[in-house]
Amino acid sequence: MILELINDFLLTFTELKQEVIFQGYQNCIAMPPNNEGFCVMSIMEIKRHGTNVESNSENERSIKKLISYGIDIDFIGDNDLKQRELASRVEGLCWSDYIGAFFKERNASMPYSAGVQDVPYLDEDKHFLHRYRIRLYVSTWEETSVKETTAKEVVIDHSIHGKKPDDTGEADKTYYKKGIENIDVDHKIKEVHNVNSRK
């Protein structure tokens, strides 16, 4: 999951502890009672890049797509300087080649991040909180596998090829074409209909 990846990123490259990192979904999460500093992650954008990449195995099909996520990270607390410096540090890291290997090992990449925004607010107790927000853009492959039934063997009976429906043995191109061809379903239905109508 993409938020788990960002969670690991924050734990690895900042001094944040797990107990102060939260996943936010609109107003559906209660903020911690103390205001010494915490972090909220929220998915704000999901975009597809390109078309599917598909492959087959013996009895299943793998479907992969490249997705870009825009993830907001809010650094919130009483200490204005601490939250601003933390946001600035993460924003700077996201533009560095240094963290490229971290995301590559997890089948993802960090193309860039948006600049730091200062968006302070009042909490439910009318307490002023400093909030600095950055948006990270992370690309990753998502894969789905589905069962696929395939034929193990194809048997073609040449004994009736080119014969009339009355089985006289005389070849007649009006009813059957010579050779084998790939045709779509609509074409196939029309061919069967024409043969039946001529009987």
Side-chain angles (χ1 to χ4, degrees), residues 143-168:
E143 184 173 1
T144 303
S145 295
V146 292
K147 297 295 182 182
E148 185 174 49
T149 303
T150 57
K152 294 183 178 179
E153 184 178 290
V154 177
V155 178
I156 300 172
D157 186 357
H158 292 279
S159 63
I160 63 168
H161 193 66
K163 293 183 179 180
K164 285 186 177 181
D166 60 6
D167 200 24
T168 61

Side-chain angles (χ1 to χ4, degrees), residues 112-156:
Y112 66 100
S113 71
V116 178
Q117 293 180 296
D118 184 5
V119 282
Y121 74 103
L122 296 176
D123 65 11
E124 294 178 354
D125 297 324
K126 306 301 181 183
H127 184 83
F128 184 84
L129 287 176
H130 297 283
R131 174 172 60 181
Y132 289 92
R133 172 180 294 168
I134 61 173
R135 179 166 295 183
L136 311 184
Y137 290 91
V138 180
S139 296
T140 185
W141 287 96
E142 293 186 353
E143 184 173 1
T144 303
S145 295
V146 292
K147 297 295 182 182
E148 185 174 49
T149 303
T150 57
K152 294 183 178 179
E153 184 178 290
V154 177
V155 178
I156 300 172

Side-chain angles (χ1 to χ4, degrees), residues 45 47 68-69 91 94-96 109-115 135-139:
E45 296 180 36
K47 294 181 180 179
S68 175
Y69 288 92
E91 191 269 347
C94 293
W95 285 89
S96 171
S109 63
M110 170 79 76
Y112 66 100
S113 71
R135 179 166 295 183
L136 311 184
Y137 290 91
V138 180
S139 296

